[in-house]
Amino acid sequence: MTKPCSVDLRARAVARGMAGGPVRAAAGTSGVSVARAVKWPRRFRMTGSAAPDKMGGRRNHIPQRERDRLVTRPGQTPDLTLHALLHELRGHGVEVCCGARWRFLRHAGVSFKKTSVRHRAGSSGRRTKTRAAEGPSRQA
């Protein structure tokens, strides 16, 4: 992500946008895009400032109260899926995306390995046996 535009450029663009002239003219004289000439005055009217929001930093997507439960839960139920964990978190009032949950579990050292329960559906008795290759294939 690029750096935000300076506050003085934003202030000039807001002043021209609030003056009531055409947006394209305000964008041209300020040296910004038309989209910026529309969004910065709107932001100024809504918040009272056209300054950019804070960028970067670390965000904890999963609350501390749910972290211990999230780490111990896969050990209690071995065939638990990531999506089932997501539904459990939603039941406790925590809205997180699948990626945030997966990154947290990977960082905590929890892995989801395949077990015999998760293998191919159907019993082995239903599948047809393959012939052993003894020679060249037969002509049809």
Side-chain angles (χ1 to χ4, degrees), residues 31-69:
V32 296
S33 68
V34 176
R36 292 289 124 204
V38 170
K39 290 179 182 179
W40 287 342
R42 182 186 316 148
R43 180 185 182 100
F44 182 78
R45 284 190 295 269
M46 291 173 63
T47 64
S49 172
D53 282 339
K54 180 183 167 191
M55 291 181 63
R58 183 181 168 102
R59 293 179 289 170
N60 290 326
H61 296 288
I62 300 173
Q64 187 64 38
R65 67 180 188 277
E66 297 296 330
R67 290 172 187 236
D68 295 333
R69 180 189 349 234

PDB file of all heavy atoms in Angstrom, residues 31-69:
ATOM      1  N   GLY A  31      -4.520  18.846  -8.359  1.00  0.00           N
ATOM      2  CA  GLY A  31      -3.563  17.834  -8.798  1.00  0.00           C
ATOM      3  C   GLY A  31      -3.866  16.453  -8.256  1.00  0.00           C
ATOM      4  O   GLY A  31      -2.963  15.649  -8.071  1.00  0.00           O
ATOM      5  N   VAL A  32      -5.150  16.186  -7.976  1.00  0.00           N
ATOM      6  CA  VAL A  32      -5.553  14.873  -7.487  1.00  0.00           C
ATOM      7  C   VAL A  32      -6.591  14.294  -8.435  1.00  0.00           C
ATOM      8  O   VAL A  32      -7.113  14.990  -9.306  1.00  0.00           O
ATOM      9  CB  VAL A  32      -6.139  14.948  -6.054  1.00  0.00           C
ATOM     10  CG1 VAL A  32      -5.081  15.422  -5.070  1.00  0.00           C
ATOM     11  CG2 VAL A  32      -7.352  15.830  -5.986  1.00  0.00           C
ATOM     12  N   SER A  33      -6.916  13.021  -8.253  1.00  0.00           N
ATOM     13  CA  SER A  33      -7.918  12.390  -9.109  1.00  0.00           C
ATOM     14  C   SER A  33      -9.311  12.887  -8.739  1.00  0.00           C
ATOM     15  O   SER A  33      -9.543  13.438  -7.649  1.00  0.00           O
ATOM     16  CB  SER A  33      -7.850  10.869  -8.961  1.00  0.00           C
ATOM     17  OG  SER A  33      -8.282  10.488  -7.668  1.00  0.00           O
ATOM     18  N   VAL A  34     -10.245  12.667  -9.642  1.00  0.00           N
ATOM     19  CA  VAL A  34     -11.630  13.078  -9.402  1.00  0.00           C
ATOM     20  C   VAL A  34     -12.197  12.319  -8.209  1.00  0.00           C
ATOM     21  O   VAL A  34     -12.934  12.881  -7.387  1.00  0.00           O
ATOM     22  CB  VAL A  34     -12.482  12.853 -10.674  1.00  0.00           C
ATOM     23  CG1 VAL A  34     -13.938  13.173 -10.411  1.00  0.00           C
ATOM     24  CG2 VAL A  34     -11.953  13.679 -11.823  1.00  0.00           C
ATOM     25  N   ALA A  35     -11.845  11.040  -8.100  1.00  0.00           N
ATOM     26  CA  ALA A  35     -12.341  10.239  -6.971  1.00  0.00           C
ATOM     27  C   ALA A  35     -11.884  10.839  -5.639  1.00  0.00           C
ATOM     28  O   ALA A  35     -12.663  10.931  -4.685  1.00  0.00           O
ATOM     29  CB  ALA A  35     -11.852   8.797  -7.097  1.00  0.00           C
ATOM     30  N   ARG A  36     -10.618  11.255  -5.564  1.00  0.00           N
ATOM     31  CA  ARG A  36     -10.113  11.882  -4.341  1.00  0.00           C
ATOM     32  C   ARG A  36     -10.805  13.223  -4.082  1.00  0.00           C
ATOM     33  O   ARG A  36     -11.095  13.557  -2.945  1.00  0.00           O
ATOM     34  CB  ARG A  36      -8.609  12.137  -4.437  1.00  0.00           C
ATOM     35  CG  ARG A  36      -7.799  10.897  -4.455  1.00  0.00           C
ATOM     36  CD  ARG A  36      -7.818  10.242  -3.090  1.00  0.00           C
ATOM     37  NE  ARG A  36      -8.297   8.893  -3.253  1.00  0.00           N
ATOM     38  CZ  ARG A  36      -8.865   8.160  -2.323  1.00  0.00           C
ATOM     39  NH1 ARG A  36      -9.041   8.606  -1.129  1.00  0.00           N
ATOM     40  NH2 ARG A  36      -9.290   6.958  -2.568  1.00  0.00           N
ATOM     41  N   ALA A  37     -11.058  13.982  -5.144  1.00  0.00           N
ATOM     42  CA  ALA A  37     -11.715  15.282  -4.989  1.00  0.00           C
ATOM     43  C   ALA A  37     -13.140  15.125  -4.492  1.00  0.00           C
ATOM     44  O   ALA A  37     -13.713  16.056  -3.922  1.00  0.00           O
ATOM     45  CB  ALA A  37     -11.700  16.042  -6.313  1.00  0.00           C
ATOM     46  N   VAL A  38     -13.736  13.950  -4.685  1.00  0.00           N
ATOM     47  CA  VAL A  38     -15.078  13.678  -4.172  1.00  0.00           C
ATOM     48  C   VAL A  38     -15.013  13.112  -2.763  1.00  0.00           C
ATOM     49  O   VAL A  38     -15.764  13.507  -1.869  1.00  0.00           O
ATOM     50  CB  VAL A  38     -15.830  12.704  -5.113  1.00  0.00           C
ATOM     51  CG1 VAL A  38     -17.113  12.222  -4.490  1.00  0.00           C
ATOM     52  CG2 VAL A  38     -16.087  13.360  -6.449  1.00  0.00           C
ATOM     53  N   LYS A  39     -14.085  12.179  -2.516  1.00  0.00           N
ATOM     54  CA  LYS A  39     -14.036  11.463  -1.235  1.00  0.00           C
ATOM     55  C   LYS A  39     -13.506  12.298  -0.075  1.00  0.00           C
ATOM     56  O   LYS A  39     -13.998  12.189   1.047  1.00  0.00           O
ATOM     57  CB  LYS A  39     -13.192  10.198  -1.381  1.00  0.00           C
ATOM     58  CG  LYS A  39     -13.870   9.153  -2.234  1.00  0.00           C
ATOM     59  CD  LYS A  39     -13.016   7.929  -2.379  1.00  0.00           C
ATOM     60  CE  LYS A  39     -13.711   6.928  -3.283  1.00  0.00           C
ATOM     61  NZ  LYS A  39     -12.923   5.723  -3.475  1.00  0.00           N
ATOM     62  N   TRP A  40     -12.489  13.129  -0.320  1.00  0.00           N
ATOM     63  CA  TRP A  40     -11.934  13.906   0.788  1.00  0.00           C
ATOM     64  C   TRP A  40     -12.914  14.924   1.362  1.00  0.00           C
ATOM     65  O   TRP A  40     -13.048  15.011   2.583  1.00  0.00           O
ATOM     66  CB  TRP A  40     -10.645  14.572   0.373  1.00  0.00           C
ATOM     67  CG  TRP A  40      -9.484  13.617   0.246  1.00  0.00           C
ATOM     68  CD1 TRP A  40      -9.399  12.357   0.770  1.00  0.00           C
ATOM     69  CD2 TRP A  40      -8.274  13.844  -0.441  1.00  0.00           C
ATOM     70  NE1 TRP A  40      -8.208  11.783   0.441  1.00  0.00           N
ATOM     71  CE2 TRP A  40      -7.482  12.681  -0.298  1.00  0.00           C
ATOM     72  CE3 TRP A  40      -7.768  14.909  -1.165  1.00  0.00           C
ATOM     73  CZ2 TRP A  40      -6.221  12.558  -0.843  1.00  0.00           C
ATOM     74  CZ3 TRP A  40      -6.499  14.796  -1.713  1.00  0.00           C
ATOM     75  CH2 TRP A  40      -5.742  13.635  -1.556  1.00  0.00           C
ATOM     76  N   PRO A  41     -13.650  15.696   0.551  1.00  0.00           N
ATOM     77  CA  PRO A  41     -14.659  16.584   1.158  1.00  0.00           C
ATOM     78  C   PRO A  41     -15.769  15.811   1.875  1.00  0.00           C
ATOM     79  O   PRO A  41     -16.254  16.241   2.927  1.00  0.00           O
ATOM     80  CB  PRO A  41     -15.215  17.378  -0.022  1.00  0.00           C
ATOM     81  CG  PRO A  41     -14.137  17.347  -1.037  1.00  0.00           C
ATOM     82  CD  PRO A  41     -13.463  16.027  -0.867  1.00  0.00           C
ATOM     83  N   ARG A  42     -16.152  14.668   1.321  1.00  0.00           N
ATOM     84  CA  ARG A  42     -17.171  13.837   1.981  1.00  0.00           C
ATOM     85  C   ARG A  42     -16.658  13.377   3.337  1.00  0.00           C
ATOM     86  O   ARG A  42     -17.375  13.420   4.350  1.00  0.00           O
ATOM     87  CB  ARG A  42     -17.518  12.629   1.109  1.00  0.00           C
ATOM     88  CG  ARG A  42     -18.599  11.763   1.733  1.00  0.00           C
ATOM     89  CD  ARG A  42     -18.863  10.484   0.976  1.00  0.00           C
ATOM     90  NE  ARG A  42     -18.928  10.681  -0.455  1.00  0.00           N
ATOM     91  CZ  ARG A  42     -18.534   9.766  -1.358  1.00  0.00           C
ATOM     92  NH1 ARG A  42     -18.037   8.615  -0.947  1.00  0.00           N
ATOM     93  NH2 ARG A  42     -18.630  10.000  -2.633  1.00  0.00           N
ATOM     94  N   ARG A  43     -15.396  12.954   3.396  1.00  0.00           N
ATOM     95  CA  ARG A  43     -14.798  12.530   4.661  1.00  0.00           C
ATOM     96  C   ARG A  43     -14.738  13.694   5.649  1.00  0.00           C
ATOM     97  O   ARG A  43     -14.977  13.533   6.833  1.00  0.00           O
ATOM     98  CB  ARG A  43     -13.396  11.991   4.391  1.00  0.00           C
ATOM     99  CG  ARG A  43     -12.676  11.520   5.614  1.00  0.00           C
ATOM    100  CD  ARG A  43     -11.250  11.121   5.230  1.00  0.00           C
ATOM    101  NE  ARG A  43     -10.560  10.623   6.376  1.00  0.00           N
ATOM    102  CZ  ARG A  43     -10.371   9.344   6.650  1.00  0.00           C
ATOM    103  NH1 ARG A  43     -10.825   8.442   5.825  1.00  0.00           N
ATOM    104  NH2 ARG A  43      -9.733   8.987   7.730  1.00  0.00           N
ATOM    105  N   PHE A  44     -14.423  14.900   5.143  1.00  0.00           N
ATOM    106  CA  PHE A  44     -14.363  16.078   5.999  1.00  0.00           C
ATOM    107  C   PHE A  44     -15.737  16.401   6.581  1.00  0.00           C
ATOM    108  O   PHE A  44     -15.859  16.730   7.758  1.00  0.00           O
ATOM    109  CB  PHE A  44     -13.825  17.272   5.201  1.00  0.00           C
ATOM    110  CG  PHE A  44     -13.688  18.510   6.021  1.00  0.00           C
ATOM    111  CD1 PHE A  44     -12.629  18.666   6.888  1.00  0.00           C
ATOM    112  CD2 PHE A  44     -14.640  19.516   5.936  1.00  0.00           C
ATOM    113  CE1 PHE A  44     -12.502  19.805   7.657  1.00  0.00           C
ATOM    114  CE2 PHE A  44     -14.528  20.658   6.701  1.00  0.00           C
ATOM    115  CZ  PHE A  44     -13.452  20.806   7.567  1.00  0.00           C
ATOM    116  N   ARG A  45     -16.775  16.287   5.764  1.00  0.00           N
ATOM    117  CA  ARG A  45     -18.143  16.552   6.267  1.00  0.00           C
ATOM    118  C   ARG A  45     -18.579  15.521   7.294  1.00  0.00           C
ATOM    119  O   ARG A  45     -19.262  15.844   8.256  1.00  0.00           O
ATOM    120  CB  ARG A  45     -19.132  16.570   5.095  1.00  0.00           C
ATOM    121  CG  ARG A  45     -19.079  17.834   4.264  1.00  0.00           C
ATOM    122  CD  ARG A  45     -20.229  17.902   3.272  1.00  0.00           C
ATOM    123  NE  ARG A  45     -20.168  16.862   2.264  1.00  0.00           N
ATOM    124  CZ  ARG A  45     -19.550  16.991   1.082  1.00  0.00           C
ATOM    125  NH1 ARG A  45     -18.924  18.109   0.786  1.00  0.00           N
ATOM    126  NH2 ARG A  45     -19.548  16.002   0.223  1.00  0.00           N
ATOM    127  N   MET A  46     -18.158  14.258   7.115  1.00  0.00           N
ATOM    128  CA  MET A  46     -18.575  13.192   8.034  1.00  0.00           C
ATOM    129  C   MET A  46     -17.800  13.190   9.345  1.00  0.00           C
ATOM    130  O   MET A  46     -18.377  12.994  10.406  1.00  0.00           O
ATOM    131  CB  MET A  46     -18.436  11.828   7.356  1.00  0.00           C
ATOM    132  CG  MET A  46     -19.434  11.607   6.237  1.00  0.00           C
ATOM    133  SD  MET A  46     -19.140  10.089   5.322  1.00  0.00           S
ATOM    134  CE  MET A  46     -19.375   8.863   6.567  1.00  0.00           C
ATOM    135  N   THR A  47     -16.478  13.423   9.279  1.00  0.00           N
ATOM    136  CA  THR A  47     -15.649  13.286  10.477  1.00  0.00           C
ATOM    137  C   THR A  47     -15.085  14.604  10.990  1.00  0.00           C
ATOM    138  O   THR A  47     -14.589  14.651  12.111  1.00  0.00           O
ATOM    139  CB  THR A  47     -14.460  12.342  10.197  1.00  0.00           C
ATOM    140  OG1 THR A  47     -13.624  12.923   9.194  1.00  0.00           O
ATOM    141  CG2 THR A  47     -14.936  10.975   9.751  1.00  0.00           C
ATOM    142  N   GLY A  48     -15.113  15.644  10.162  1.00  0.00           N
ATOM    143  CA  GLY A  48     -14.534  16.920  10.578  1.00  0.00           C
ATOM    144  C   GLY A  48     -13.055  17.033  10.262  1.00  0.00           C
ATOM    145  O   GLY A  48     -12.425  18.032  10.600  1.00  0.00           O
ATOM    146  N   SER A  49     -12.493  16.021   9.636  1.00  0.00           N
ATOM    147  CA  SER A  49     -11.082  16.039   9.283  1.00  0.00           C
ATOM    148  C   SER A  49     -10.884  15.229   8.008  1.00  0.00           C
ATOM    149  O   SER A  49     -11.554  14.226   7.790  1.00  0.00           O
ATOM    150  CB  SER A  49     -10.249  15.426  10.399  1.00  0.00           C
ATOM    151  OG  SER A  49      -8.915  15.267   9.985  1.00  0.00           O
ATOM    152  N   ALA A  50      -9.953  15.672   7.185  1.00  0.00           N
ATOM    153  CA  ALA A  50      -9.613  14.928   5.973  1.00  0.00           C
ATOM    154  C   ALA A  50      -8.306  14.172   6.151  1.00  0.00           C
ATOM    155  O   ALA A  50      -7.783  13.613   5.198  1.00  0.00           O
ATOM    156  CB  ALA A  50      -9.517  15.873   4.784  1.00  0.00           C
ATOM    157  N   ALA A  51      -7.769  14.142   7.364  1.00  0.00           N
ATOM    158  CA  ALA A  51      -6.504  13.458   7.631  1.00  0.00           C
ATOM    159  C   ALA A  51      -6.664  11.952   7.389  1.00  0.00           C
ATOM    160  O   ALA A  51      -7.736  11.382   7.611  1.00  0.00           O
ATOM    161  CB  ALA A  51      -6.070  13.714   9.070  1.00  0.00           C
ATOM    162  N   PRO A  52      -5.599  11.294   6.951  1.00  0.00           N
ATOM    163  CA  PRO A  52      -5.693   9.854   6.692  1.00  0.00           C
ATOM    164  C   PRO A  52      -5.788   9.063   7.991  1.00  0.00           C
ATOM    165  O   PRO A  52      -5.354   9.518   9.054  1.00  0.00           O
ATOM    166  CB  PRO A  52      -4.390   9.541   5.960  1.00  0.00           C
ATOM    167  CG  PRO A  52      -3.449  10.603   6.373  1.00  0.00           C
ATOM    168  CD  PRO A  52      -4.285  11.826   6.604  1.00  0.00           C
ATOM    169  N   ASP A  53      -6.358   7.871   7.898  1.00  0.00           N
ATOM    170  CA  ASP A  53      -6.416   6.975   9.049  1.00  0.00           C
ATOM    171  C   ASP A  53      -5.031   6.404   9.325  1.00  0.00           C
ATOM    172  O   ASP A  53      -4.138   6.461   8.488  1.00  0.00           O
ATOM    173  CB  ASP A  53      -7.377   5.818   8.772  1.00  0.00           C
ATOM    174  CG  ASP A  53      -8.827   6.227   8.933  1.00  0.00           C
ATOM    175  OD1 ASP A  53      -9.094   7.233   9.614  1.00  0.00           O
ATOM    176  OD2 ASP A  53      -9.701   5.528   8.370  1.00  0.00           O
ATOM    177  N   LYS A  54      -4.881   5.829  10.495  1.00  0.00           N
ATOM    178  CA  LYS A  54      -3.630   5.185  10.869  1.00  0.00           C
ATOM    179  C   LYS A  54      -3.407   3.978   9.962  1.00  0.00           C
ATOM    180  O   LYS A  54      -4.336   3.219   9.687  1.00  0.00           O
ATOM    181  CB  LYS A  54      -3.709   4.739  12.320  1.00  0.00           C
ATOM    182  CG  LYS A  54      -2.477   4.051  12.816  1.00  0.00           C
ATOM    183  CD  LYS A  54      -2.664   3.575  14.233  1.00  0.00           C
ATOM    184  CE  LYS A  54      -1.547   2.624  14.588  1.00  0.00           C
ATOM    185  NZ  LYS A  54      -1.782   1.933  15.819  1.00  0.00           N
ATOM    186  N   MET A  55      -2.187   3.799   9.519  1.00  0.00           N
ATOM    187  CA  MET A  55      -1.856   2.668   8.659  1.00  0.00           C
ATOM    188  C   MET A  55      -0.965   1.697   9.404  1.00  0.00           C
ATOM    189  O   MET A  55      -0.164   2.091  10.247  1.00  0.00           O
ATOM    190  CB  MET A  55      -1.134   3.152   7.397  1.00  0.00           C
ATOM    191  CG  MET A  55      -2.014   3.929   6.462  1.00  0.00           C
ATOM    192  SD  MET A  55      -1.145   4.462   4.990  1.00  0.00           S
ATOM    193  CE  MET A  55      -0.724   2.916   4.241  1.00  0.00           C
ATOM    194  N   GLY A  56      -1.084   0.434   9.067  1.00  0.00           N
ATOM    195  CA  GLY A  56      -0.205  -0.584   9.608  1.00  0.00           C
ATOM    196  C   GLY A  56      -0.552  -0.957  11.029  1.00  0.00           C
ATOM    197  O   GLY A  56      -1.637  -0.706  11.528  1.00  0.00           O
ATOM    198  N   GLY A  57       0.389  -1.578  11.677  1.00  0.00           N
ATOM    199  CA  GLY A  57       0.170  -2.029  13.045  1.00  0.00           C
ATOM    200  C   GLY A  57      -0.302  -3.460  13.080  1.00  0.00           C
ATOM    201  O   GLY A  57      -0.595  -4.084  12.069  1.00  0.00           O
ATOM    202  N   ARG A  58      -0.381  -3.998  14.262  1.00  0.00           N
ATOM    203  CA  ARG A  58      -0.796  -5.379  14.443  1.00  0.00           C
ATOM    204  C   ARG A  58      -2.173  -5.398  15.070  1.00  0.00           C
ATOM    205  O   ARG A  58      -2.422  -4.718  16.054  1.00  0.00           O
ATOM    206  CB  ARG A  58       0.200  -6.094  15.344  1.00  0.00           C
ATOM    207  CG  ARG A  58      -0.093  -7.538  15.527  1.00  0.00           C
ATOM    208  CD  ARG A  58       0.935  -8.156  16.455  1.00  0.00           C
ATOM    209  NE  ARG A  58       0.500  -9.467  16.852  1.00  0.00           N
ATOM    210  CZ  ARG A  58       0.970 -10.582  16.334  1.00  0.00           C
ATOM    211  NH1 ARG A  58       1.906 -10.527  15.423  1.00  0.00           N
ATOM    212  NH2 ARG A  58       0.528 -11.751  16.742  1.00  0.00           N
ATOM    213  N   ARG A  59      -3.048  -6.191  14.491  1.00  0.00           N
ATOM    214  CA  ARG A  59      -4.394  -6.319  15.029  1.00  0.00           C
ATOM    215  C   ARG A  59      -4.616  -7.746  15.504  1.00  0.00           C
ATOM    216  O   ARG A  59      -4.278  -8.692  14.794  1.00  0.00           O
ATOM    217  CB  ARG A  59      -5.434  -5.984  13.956  1.00  0.00           C
ATOM    218  CG  ARG A  59      -5.396  -4.542  13.552  1.00  0.00           C
ATOM    219  CD  ARG A  59      -6.413  -4.291  12.489  1.00  0.00           C
ATOM    220  NE  ARG A  59      -5.944  -4.947  11.261  1.00  0.00           N
ATOM    221  CZ  ARG A  59      -6.661  -5.094  10.174  1.00  0.00           C
ATOM    222  NH1 ARG A  59      -7.888  -4.671  10.126  1.00  0.00           N
ATOM    223  NH2 ARG A  59      -6.162  -5.671   9.101  1.00  0.00           N
ATOM    224  N   ASN A  60      -5.177  -7.907  16.674  1.00  0.00           N
ATOM    225  CA  ASN A  60      -5.563  -9.223  17.168  1.00  0.00           C
ATOM    226  C   ASN A  60      -7.003  -9.461  16.763  1.00  0.00           C
ATOM    227  O   ASN A  60      -7.912  -8.805  17.270  1.00  0.00           O
ATOM    228  CB  ASN A  60      -5.406  -9.309  18.683  1.00  0.00           C
ATOM    229  CG  ASN A  60      -3.959  -9.307  19.089  1.00  0.00           C
ATOM    230  OD1 ASN A  60      -3.123  -9.848  18.368  1.00  0.00           O
ATOM    231  ND2 ASN A  60      -3.653  -8.713  20.215  1.00  0.00           N
ATOM    232  N   HIS A  61      -7.192 -10.360  15.836  1.00  0.00           N
ATOM    233  CA  HIS A  61      -8.529 -10.606  15.333  1.00  0.00           C
ATOM    234  C   HIS A  61      -9.345 -11.499  16.257  1.00  0.00           C
ATOM    235  O   HIS A  61     -10.557 -11.444  16.255  1.00  0.00           O
ATOM    236  CB  HIS A  61      -8.462 -11.249  13.948  1.00  0.00           C
ATOM    237  CG  HIS A  61      -7.844 -10.351  12.928  1.00  0.00           C
ATOM    238  ND1 HIS A  61      -8.480  -9.247  12.436  1.00  0.00           N
ATOM    239  CD2 HIS A  61      -6.639 -10.380  12.326  1.00  0.00           C
ATOM    240  CE1 HIS A  61      -7.709  -8.651  11.560  1.00  0.00           C
ATOM    241  NE2 HIS A  61      -6.581  -9.318  11.481  1.00  0.00           N
ATOM    242  N   ILE A  62      -8.692 -12.332  17.023  1.00  0.00           N
ATOM    243  CA  ILE A  62      -9.402 -13.256  17.904  1.00  0.00           C
ATOM    244  C   ILE A  62      -9.209 -12.774  19.335  1.00  0.00           C
ATOM    245  O   ILE A  62      -8.081 -12.625  19.799  1.00  0.00           O
ATOM    246  CB  ILE A  62      -8.869 -14.684  17.721  1.00  0.00           C
ATOM    247  CG1 ILE A  62      -9.093 -15.109  16.265  1.00  0.00           C
ATOM    248  CG2 ILE A  62      -9.561 -15.640  18.675  1.00  0.00           C
ATOM    249  CD1 ILE A  62      -8.480 -16.410  15.897  1.00  0.00           C
ATOM    250  N   PRO A  63     -10.303 -12.507  20.052  1.00  0.00           N
ATOM    251  CA  PRO A  63     -10.185 -12.000  21.427  1.00  0.00           C
ATOM    252  C   PRO A  63      -9.452 -12.977  22.336  1.00  0.00           C
ATOM    253  O   PRO A  63      -9.470 -14.192  22.126  1.00  0.00           O
ATOM    254  CB  PRO A  63     -11.640 -11.840  21.882  1.00  0.00           C
ATOM    255  CG  PRO A  63     -12.451 -11.851  20.645  1.00  0.00           C
ATOM    256  CD  PRO A  63     -11.683 -12.613  19.623  1.00  0.00           C
ATOM    257  N   GLN A  64      -8.830 -12.445  23.353  1.00  0.00           N
ATOM    258  CA  GLN A  64      -8.028 -13.256  24.273  1.00  0.00           C
ATOM    259  C   GLN A  64      -8.859 -14.344  24.946  1.00  0.00           C
ATOM    260  O   GLN A  64      -8.391 -15.453  25.141  1.00  0.00           O
ATOM    261  CB  GLN A  64      -7.399 -12.344  25.342  1.00  0.00           C
ATOM    262  CG  GLN A  64      -6.427 -13.049  26.240  1.00  0.00           C
ATOM    263  CD  GLN A  64      -5.202 -13.561  25.503  1.00  0.00           C
ATOM    264  OE1 GLN A  64      -4.709 -12.902  24.609  1.00  0.00           O
ATOM    265  NE2 GLN A  64      -4.732 -14.727  25.876  1.00  0.00           N
ATOM    266  N   ARG A  65     -10.111 -14.036  25.250  1.00  0.00           N
ATOM    267  CA  ARG A  65     -10.944 -15.018  25.970  1.00  0.00           C
ATOM    268  C   ARG A  65     -11.229 -16.264  25.131  1.00  0.00           C
ATOM    269  O   ARG A  65     -11.543 -17.322  25.667  1.00  0.00           O
ATOM    270  CB  ARG A  65     -12.249 -14.362  26.412  1.00  0.00           C
ATOM    271  CG  ARG A  65     -13.162 -13.984  25.266  1.00  0.00           C
ATOM    272  CD  ARG A  65     -14.456 -13.342  25.742  1.00  0.00           C
ATOM    273  NE  ARG A  65     -15.383 -13.169  24.669  1.00  0.00           N
ATOM    274  CZ  ARG A  65     -15.383 -12.150  23.808  1.00  0.00           C
ATOM    275  NH1 ARG A  65     -14.487 -11.192  23.934  1.00  0.00           N
ATOM    276  NH2 ARG A  65     -16.274 -12.084  22.849  1.00  0.00           N
ATOM    277  N   GLU A  66     -11.133 -16.159  23.805  1.00  0.00           N
ATOM    278  CA  GLU A  66     -11.416 -17.290  22.933  1.00  0.00           C
ATOM    279  C   GLU A  66     -10.163 -18.037  22.494  1.00  0.00           C
ATOM    280  O   GLU A  66     -10.254 -19.132  21.949  1.00  0.00           O
ATOM    281  CB  GLU A  66     -12.157 -16.807  21.674  1.00  0.00           C
ATOM    282  CG  GLU A  66     -13.500 -16.197  21.948  1.00  0.00           C
ATOM    283  CD  GLU A  66     -14.487 -17.198  22.532  1.00  0.00           C
ATOM    284  OE1 GLU A  66     -14.375 -18.404  22.223  1.00  0.00           O
ATOM    285  OE2 GLU A  66     -15.352 -16.779  23.306  1.00  0.00           O
ATOM    286  N   ARG A  67      -8.986 -17.496  22.734  1.00  0.00           N
ATOM    287  CA  ARG A  67      -7.758 -18.101  22.224  1.00  0.00           C
ATOM    288  C   ARG A  67      -7.470 -19.457  22.844  1.00  0.00           C
ATOM    289  O   ARG A  67      -7.123 -20.397  22.148  1.00  0.00           O
ATOM    290  CB  ARG A  67      -6.585 -17.164  22.438  1.00  0.00           C
ATOM    291  CG  ARG A  67      -6.678 -15.962  21.554  1.00  0.00           C
ATOM    292  CD  ARG A  67      -5.620 -14.947  21.897  1.00  0.00           C
ATOM    293  NE  ARG A  67      -5.875 -13.761  21.117  1.00  0.00           N
ATOM    294  CZ  ARG A  67      -5.012 -13.193  20.305  1.00  0.00           C
ATOM    295  NH1 ARG A  67      -3.812 -13.700  20.195  1.00  0.00           N
ATOM    296  NH2 ARG A  67      -5.334 -12.137  19.621  1.00  0.00           N
ATOM    297  N   ASP A  68      -7.622 -19.585  24.166  1.00  0.00           N
ATOM    298  CA  ASP A  68      -7.345 -20.865  24.822  1.00  0.00           C
ATOM    299  C   ASP A  68      -8.306 -21.939  24.337  1.00  0.00           C
ATOM    300  O   ASP A  68      -7.902 -23.072  24.080  1.00  0.00           O
ATOM    301  CB  ASP A  68      -7.441 -20.713  26.338  1.00  0.00           C
ATOM    302  CG  ASP A  68      -6.366 -19.799  26.885  1.00  0.00           C
ATOM    303  OD1 ASP A  68      -5.290 -19.703  26.244  1.00  0.00           O
ATOM    304  OD2 ASP A  68      -6.599 -19.169  27.927  1.00  0.00           O
ATOM    305  N   ARG A  69      -9.569 -21.587  24.214  1.00  0.00           N
ATOM    306  CA  ARG A  69     -10.567 -22.546  23.752  1.00  0.00           C
ATOM    307  C   ARG A  69     -10.265 -22.984  22.319  1.00  0.00           C
ATOM    308  O   ARG A  69     -10.408 -24.140  21.957  1.00  0.00           O
ATOM    309  CB  ARG A  69     -11.970 -21.950  23.828  1.00  0.00           C
ATOM    310  CG  ARG A  69     -13.031 -22.894  23.362  1.00  0.00           C
ATOM    311  CD  ARG A  69     -14.399 -22.297  23.205  1.00  0.00           C
ATOM    312  NE  ARG A  69     -14.571 -20.981  23.754  1.00  0.00           N
ATOM    313  CZ  ARG A  69     -15.519 -20.645  24.628  1.00  0.00           C
ATOM    314  NH1 ARG A  69     -16.357 -21.545  25.047  1.00  0.00           N
ATOM    315  NH2 ARG A  69     -15.640 -19.413  25.060  1.00  0.00           N
TER     316      ARG A  69
END
